Amino acid sequence: MYKYGEDFHVEDSLQTVDPRSLMMAPSVFQHVGIPTSTFLTPTTDNRGIPARKTQYQTPLQPSNGIHAPHSGNPRGPRLLTVDEALQFSPLSSIIPFSPDIVPLPNARLLGSQPIFPTQSEKSGAKQSLNVLDKDIGQSRGQSKLAQATLNDLRPYLDKNAITNFKFKVPTGLTAGRPGVQSSSGSTDHQERPAKLGPFANMFLNSTGLAHRYPTPNSPESVSPKRRDLAQPLQKASRVKKETPDKQQKLPVTPTTPEPHAHIKATTPQNVSASVKLEELPKSDAKLRPIVLIKSRSADSRPGDDITIPVEETEHPRKRKRDEIIIAIGTKDQRAVANEALHRLQEIIQDIFEADDQSQPDISGTISAEAGQFFVLAHYEEREINTLAPAIHVKLEAALQKVISLGKYDEIPIDHLCRLQSLCQGGLASAESSEIHAELNSGLEDDSKWIQGIEALDSGLRATRTILRIMTGGRQEKEIYSEELLQNVLRVVEKVLSSSIIPIVEARSTGTSSAVFETASSHRKIISQLLYDVKKAMTLLAGLLTKVEMAETIITTMEFFATRLLFVDNAHSEKESILGIQKFETLRRTAMDLIAEIFSRYPQQRAFLFDEILTSLQKLPVKGQQARQYKLADGTSIQLVSALIIRLVQTSATSSASRKEGKRRLALNGVEQGQSDDSEAEDLGSQSASQHIESSDEMSEDATDSTYEFAIQRLADKATLLNNSAAQNAQYVIRFYVSRGMTAPKTGDQPHRQLLDMFAEDLIAVLGLPEWPAAELLLRALLIRMVDISESKQYTAPAKTMALELLGLMGSAISELVASTRNSARILENHDSERSGYLRQLLDDYMEGKLEANELLGWEGPYHVVMQYLQPGGSEDKQTTSARGYYLTQWAKAVSSGNLTCDTITEKLANRLRKMLSRAEWDALESETEPVSSNQIRVAYALTILSMDFCRQFDRILKILLDSISSESTTVRNRSLKSVMQMLEKDPSLLDRARNVKVKIMNCTTDNSSMVRDSALMLIGKCILLQPMLEQEFCKTVLVLTNDPAIGVRKRSMRLLKDIYLRNNRKDIKAAIADCLLQRTKDLDAGVSDLARQTFEDIWFSPFWRLVESAEQSAQEKISLQSQVSLIVGTVQRGEGVALAMVSLIQNVLLNVSKMAAANFKVCKALVATAFEIMIDSQDLPERLEQRHILQTLTVFARANPRLFAADQLQYLQPYITNLSSSDDLNLFRSVVVIFRCVLPILSTIQHGLLREVQTALLHSISKLGKAELDEVAACLWTINGTLNNPEKLVKLTVSVLKNLRNSEGVNFADPKKSEGLKMVKKYIRIAGYFGKHCDFEIFNKNFQDSLSWWKGSSVAGLIVCSLSPFAKANQPLTLRCDALEGIGLICQSWPYQFNQDNISRTFEDVLEEGSPELQKIVLSSFRDFFSKQERQAGVKSDELLGEENLPANGKLGGSMTASDGDGASALIAQRFLKSILRIALASQDLSALTATQVITSINRQGLVHPKESGPALVALETSTNQDIADVAFQEHRNLHQQHESMFEREYMRAIQEAFKYQRDIVNDPLGTTKQPLGPKLHGMFEIIKTSKGKYQKKFLSNFCSKIDFEIAKLDTPDAINSTLQYSRFLIENLAFFDYGRLDELLHTISCMEKIVASTGSGIAHSISTEVFQIKVENLAENLESNVSGAVATAGAVNTDVDPRRLRQLTTGAIILSCLWEARTHLRRLFGLQATQQRRENKAKATVKDLNKAPTRVHGVSGERLLTVVAEKINSLESHEATLKQCQDFVELLSIDSEVKVADDGDDEAGAAETPSADEEDAALSSIGGAKPLKRKAPVSASGTPHRKKKARPSAGKRKRSGKGVSEEEDWG
């Protein structure tokens, strides 16, 4: 075969052509499809008359011929080659001139007419079929309509109901064909006919008819005549092998006059009908059918024949995969193709003519018609012609249509080359256009910018045209110019970089607002630009599949494609010019281009991964814009995530490498002048290798291979592909994890967020069959996270990250199982066999009984998924990669050897291996049943759950549970949260993993509040998931309401509220109410407010609507009765509950509450219901005792007496008349309280009832105890206010006073006076309580008349004087207690009595003598008095603020006269405060608590200076009695907030007071608490942290200064011990303080270092000279050997040293060594080594860093520090330990390892001296203080100057310092 453009050699021709044969009649050429104009000059017609140029028609060339190379005029004359002319010459054949002689080949019966005479009728008939096809496409193959139609059509294909036809092959086609081969060329480029529609394909696949083709005659029976007929074919075949050009094939024409078949070679681009002749098999082989192609009719043309694939069948349901050619008459399709070709040729002709006319003629004018086709463009300051945009549109559309119809090969190659050259002007103009992203607000700039955009648009249209020409599939290299393609890429890159990307990134505000405004006004042209560049990139991706590119071109495409992936798209449509989704479609196109490069060029894969991964930080990590890639199920993921998954899937697909060798059109080969011969040889060698491979496969298939051999071959193939994908997946995961570990979750670097988002994206697509590589990536991520979590070399943040991702992955597995179960439930409604089979497989998997044969078999889940992923009408590239990867995983699983060794497995292995080689689905078996979406989900989930990732679920859970016991707080906290995350997805874990609950319960007692809070949160989730666990966890939650952490208390209260509302058990509800009531008194206002709000929600709000109704239903009454029963049960839980409930009800009824009115109605209804229950409780399920109901009513009475009605008191009167037993006394007490509270506010009560009550109470006085007597006295005085009959009360009091008067001289210490003692004590109580509640001052005349011996004016004074004798020291203790209590009661109501000298002396004596019982009584009197004063002050303040008409001068308008209470308060504070402080600091019992409460009351009223009680409060807040500590802490905080500057000077004294309190009272002089481990001064430091930083630094400086000491003062054992204990107390507190900011920590460390450096130098010198006797003369030797004097003279210890002096020096060394250990611990704990290094390298740290809270290092605790400190303290117990401690301290000061390490890199550090004060201040201002510098050598006493320092020896020669300074030690 000859290629045009080459020299023609006559000797290579088969026959000589007679030139006269070329002058045959035109009809002859028209008959064979060649226009006459082909053989005529373009300027003459068939008559020789000149034709007009404008009427010239582009010649239609034969399909196997092309024009000569372009030589200036595309329409020049051309002569036929010999081969072309041979078939029309008389030497070879006789052409029939009548079309009737040879009829047109037709598959229909002779003489039959078309079913549809017109195209419209045909379209109408196809309408129903189109509807079915559309429905199938929209439902992804799951159309119910199509299935129903298919079921209706199946009866028509019943083989028993239809006629069986048998066809025979004409014998003429079976002769002489053994050597004939197909001339169609490469099968890879051979065009196939259009496939069946979706419904037709479904219908075809559902048929079960068997088609048998008849066996043709054997070759031996062919007649000689037929054998002769085959000779030309064989000869042509030999000619073909000798032809160097493989790309052009000549037609083969029979040379006999017999009626013949028009056999024509097909090129890869030619879709003309052709005959594929194959070597016929032997008689015993499987025969291939062939249909006789009759001779062409006169009007037939090339392209009339269509290739139809017919598949060979070994089974009735298998299809043959070979192709046969059947010529059928499809004139409509042929006409459409010819018309499209003709239309394209017209457009090309018009363009060429316009191009010719655009050249100026002699006159210099240009035709006007050329302006319709060309426009002027600017290039390098000159104008050039380029095709108009409209012409580009028409031309590209016509090209696309011709390519799709298979007529593209009939376009002459020089026409295409000329079209490309005409497009180059647009490219040049676009490249030279100047367009900038920056715009000024000027019309001139805008116009230039718009002109540049238009030039780019023109260039893009030219680009599309050029790429459309290249992607048509032509084999000629002329159209694949590398230089032209580089120009195209430059235009695309320029459009993206200068226009699209700046416009997309432009925003309405900021520096890009000008671009945004201008682009918004020209949105249409920019949208067209976006569309064009998207089309151009799509064409580039298509070109990659056909042409092998040079590396420079590939790199350029990679550059702009990857850049598009990371462009910051707008966050909202308002901020987007082009539209968010429009630009995302361009991103997807870029992703397709990258994926295509990755698939076709394996050498580019590493670069692509690096380029993508290193650009990840450009991605957004927040908001909706982070995920814009829409999945099929509606969810969204990151585009980068989708790309990475797709690339990994492509790595495991063999299609890329296989097709790589079949298409090689090297562009650089053309440019470098390589010959076609070399390329042909290359292609030929590839074809040979493919043929050998194919032959090997055929031979292997023909061999009966064993099972092991089949599995091994499959394993080799699958392992190679799987390893490629696994390596890429591991590379990606390593990159993500390595960057994510070093970046914080909330910081400037987004790598941690990107890792989380990538993992979430993988989980989102885990259950989708289109993304199977997500499982591999998750598996790689899981392996990495398991390694991090189990290894000890990783830090706590890394482990936290690993645990978080493990929890995320474990939850994903649980969610996949749950969703699969749901899909399986839906399948229960399906009656299909496949649905039942899949359900059974899922059940087997859940029970752990799923067998490998069922999972991996041909009919198993893998088969279902592969059927779903098989290519359809328009195959997606993503689906292609998914299918290839999934097939590899199937093959890998089969080759693992888990299947049964049988022939079925062997057949499966062979089949999978073949499919892997082809990377496509084996379509030998047709699918009779469509696959539903639920079937797909279940089948795919079964395969994924059986892979390695999901099988690690138990290991994930075990790691998380084990991490709960980690040493790190953050790790424990993260583990709990991850477990909670997994439980949310799969609550059954609580049953399957029983230790989960135990781990959670243990975490509730963790030292870390963060862990306890997480555990509490997890408990709430567990209860929500499994309500039966409520009772099991309830006790734990109740305990946590008293947790020290405020957050834990709040969370526990919220959880208890949920439990309360869900629970019906009254005991649980009562216990919850009790805990919540205690929280209403919480010191934290937020906690107390939450508790009160919770009570309002659970006790009152449910009844708001109920009380509004006029009549209550039976159910509503039952609800109220149940609530009353619950309240009664709650009150019975303790005395503190009743008091707390009173405060609670008062709070909810205050006007400050929004629902106060509704709450009042609810409470009133509850009181009424309580009275009903008390009267008649027969209807209740459980009977309530009356005493409990009355006790509950007292709570409401104390809270608000207005809740009671007058008639309700009638029911209470009987309970106070008969007082005979203790039960009656309980009822009596409650009723009296109710009367006392309610009577003052009731005006309608009957006087008769009051008299009866008064009489009953007076008669019962002698039987009452203290509590009852207190209430009776108050109630009687209240009744007296209504009845106004005080005579009875006066008479009672006078009688009592007379009896007391008579008993003054009695010695009640005598045991014989016991009865009299009882009576006197009873009189004292009556006098005290009636004196407290009754105002007898207005009845003093009555008392004077009744008591002749009293002439005073104050009845209260009378009663006090009557009680005083019994409080003297000579009286029994019990009598004194009652007397002092009575005096105190009276003084509370009549405060001026405190000012009486006798009373003050009595109280003072009691406080001084130290009797705890008496002190408690006096202090209680003070406490109650101060409480009453505070309440009265609060009421007066509220009344004053509530008055509508305030005085003109406001609050100051009130009386400024001091009351008796004010005087008494001042007296108590001034006279008794010291005694009260002494009592508070003397013990931790109830007396101390009462004294502390009195101190806080005194401070609240401002009676004394805060400095007098401030130190005591600091000491008391360290008490082990939590009540004392809480009261002191609360008051200390208030005082600090009000008097911060004053407390600054008192804190040092307070610390000393706290140490003494701990040493003497608590008996624990240490500075830390044991459980949990923390500083004893924690409360004080937390209060100080509320101040400013300067205040805190000053406090820390003063704190550290208290550690410093003077060695000379340590002269006595007591001084040594006290100083040592006090220093230890301070050091341990410093080491365990919770520092809030980094600069505070650094400042503290600096202060500690300075103390060691300053004080320690002198002590070290003294030890060196006095203890170790280091002299000046041996100093040089020590320095040269670089060892300390102590070490060098260790054996020369001064034995004559004074032991007291040695103990003194050792004590100083111990204190400073402990301080240095604490400093080292702080640096270790907060990881300050790196910070210190940065400080040394930088001059100054940023303020932002210093203001941050320091981060603790995992694994560093304080236990080791406490152990080391204890060892150093105990070193004083032995002489050897004392010397060892002195030696260690000298080494510490002599050789500092930190300074030594620093000196290795900085010589100046070692030579530096101790900084001056100014230098220290400067250092502190920059980073918090300088570190101590090494003491270079011990100094002599005389101050002899040091020798000049020599160079340091190597590190190996230096001796390491002691462990006190070793920075390598771990304080774990």
Side-chain angles (χ1 to χ4, degrees), residues 96-103:
F97 292 92
S98 174
D100 298 330
I101 299 176
V102 182

Side-chain angles (χ1 to χ4, degrees), residues 1308-1351:
F1308 291 102
D1310 187 359
K1312 298 179 181 180
K1313 304 294 182 180
S1314 59
E1315 292 296 329
L1317 178 62
K1318 293 180 181 179
M1319 293 300 299
V1320 170
K1321 291 172 65 177
K1322 192 171 294 185
Y1323 294 148
I1324 291 174
R1325 293 171 186 168
I1326 294 173
Y1329 285 112
F1330 276 88
K1332 173 185 177 182
H1333 293 289
C1334 302
D1335 185 7
F1336 292 131
E1337 300 299 321
I1338 58 177
F1339 306 109
N1340 58 351
K1341 181 64 176 173
N1342 297 356
F1343 280 89
Q1344 291 176 357
D1345 294 342
S1346 302
L1347 300 173
S1348 59
W1349 47 268
W1350 180 70
K1351 301 299 180 183

Side-chain angles (χ1 to χ4, degrees), residues 23 25-27 30 35-37 39-41 43-51:
M23 304 304 297
S27 59
Q30 293 176 357
T36 309
S37 57
F39 306 100
L40 302 177
T41 62
T43 56
T44 60
D45 59 11
N46 57 351
R47 298 168 296 174
I49 303 175

Side-chain angles (χ1 to χ4, degrees), residues 53-80:
K53 189 174 183 180
T54 55
Q55 295 178 351
Y56 172 79
Q57 299 294 327
T58 302
L60 293 175
Q61 302 298 332
S63 60
N64 60 342
I66 59 175
H67 279 296
H70 176 64
S71 58
N73 188 355
R75 299 179 301 278
R78 181 182 65 83
L79 297 179
L80 294 178

Side-chain angles (χ1 to χ4, degrees), residues 1599-1859:
F1599 194 99
C1600 293
S1601 67
K1602 289 298 178 181
I1603 303 175
D1604 204 356
F1605 57 91
E1606 295 181 15
I1607 192 68
K1609 293 183 179 181
L1610 302 178
D1611 52 355
T1612 63
D1614 292 339
I1616 291 176
N1617 291 334
S1618 61
T1619 303
L1620 197 59
Q1621 288 182 346
Y1622 184 50
S1623 299
R1624 182 180 184 180
F1625 178 81
L1626 297 176
I1627 291 171
E1628 289 178 348
N1629 273 282
L1630 273 179
F1632 287 91
F1633 277 156
D1634 185 15
Y1635 297 93
R1637 301 196 322 178
L1638 182 60
D1639 60 341
E1640 299 167 7
L1641 175 62
L1642 294 175
H1643 177 79
T1644 303
I1645 293 175
S1646 174
C1647 293
M1648 298 165 75
E1649 291 172 344
K1650 285 190 291 185
I1651 292 174
V1652 174
S1654 59
T1655 307
S1657 299
I1659 296 177
H1661 171 69
S1662 299
I1663 293 174
S1664 301
T1665 56
E1666 298 179 26
V1667 178
F1668 297 108
Q1669 295 181 336
I1670 298 178
K1671 305 299 181 181
V1672 177
E1673 50 269 18
N1674 62 3
L1675 181 61
E1677 298 177 2
N1678 295 335
L1679 290 174
E1680 290 178 359
S1681 61
N1682 198 44
V1683 286
S1684 66
V1687 176
T1689 60
V1693 178
N1694 184 10
T1695 57
D1696 296 333
V1697 63
D1698 186 4
R1700 289 181 298 177
R1701 177 61 174 170
L1702 178 61
R1703 188 176 184 85
Q1704 185 183 50
L1705 293 175
T1706 305
T1707 301
I1710 290 173
I1711 293 173
L1712 296 178
S1713 297
C1714 292
L1715 182 60
W1716 190 260
E1717 296 289 347
R1719 165 261 185 197
T1720 305
H1721 165 74
L1722 287 175
R1723 294 190 63 180
R1724 284 284 186 185
L1725 178 63
F1726 295 101
L1728 295 183
Q1729 273 65 38
T1731 305
Q1732 180 76 10
Q1733 208 65 22
R1734 287 194 299 268
R1735 188 185 71 178
E1736 292 170 356
N1737 296 335
K1738 296 183 180 180
K1740 191 174 182 180
T1742 61
V1743 178
K1744 180 180 179 182
D1745 293 336
L1746 295 177
N1747 289 336
K1748 291 182 179 179
T1751 304
R1752 295 177 181 266
V1753 177
H1754 165 62
V1756 180
S1757 62
E1759 297 290 346
R1760 181 70 180 275
L1761 171 65
L1762 297 180
T1763 302
V1764 172
V1765 170
E1767 291 177 355
K1768 292 182 178 298
I1769 298 294
N1770 295 331
S1771 64
L1772 289 173
E1773 296 177 359
S1774 66
H1775 182 70
E1776 292 78 7
T1778 301
L1779 294 178
K1780 181 65 170 59
Q1781 179 59 45
C1782 291
Q1783 179 180 341
D1784 292 341
F1785 181 71
V1786 172
E1787 291 183 2
L1788 171 66
L1789 269 295
S1790 300
I1791 304 175
D1792 185 355
S1793 62
E1794 292 179 0
V1795 178
K1796 178 176 61 180
V1797 173
D1799 288 342
D1800 293 339
D1802 188 358
D1803 294 338
E1804 295 180 2
E1809 300 293 339
T1810 304
S1812 63
D1814 296 338
E1815 292 172 346
E1816 290 175 358
D1817 293 340
L1820 290 176
S1821 64
S1822 63
I1823 193 62
K1827 65 179 183 181
L1829 298 176
K1830 165 189 168 184
R1831 189 173 67 89
K1832 289 182 283 188
V1835 259
S1836 62
S1838 59
T1840 304
H1842 302 289
R1843 289 182 58 183
K1844 185 177 181 181
K1845 182 179 178 181
K1846 294 184 179 181
R1848 285 185 176 270
S1850 62
K1853 297 180 180 180
R1854 302 179 207 154
K1855 180 175 178 64
R1856 290 289 181 185
S1857 62
K1859 61 183 177 181

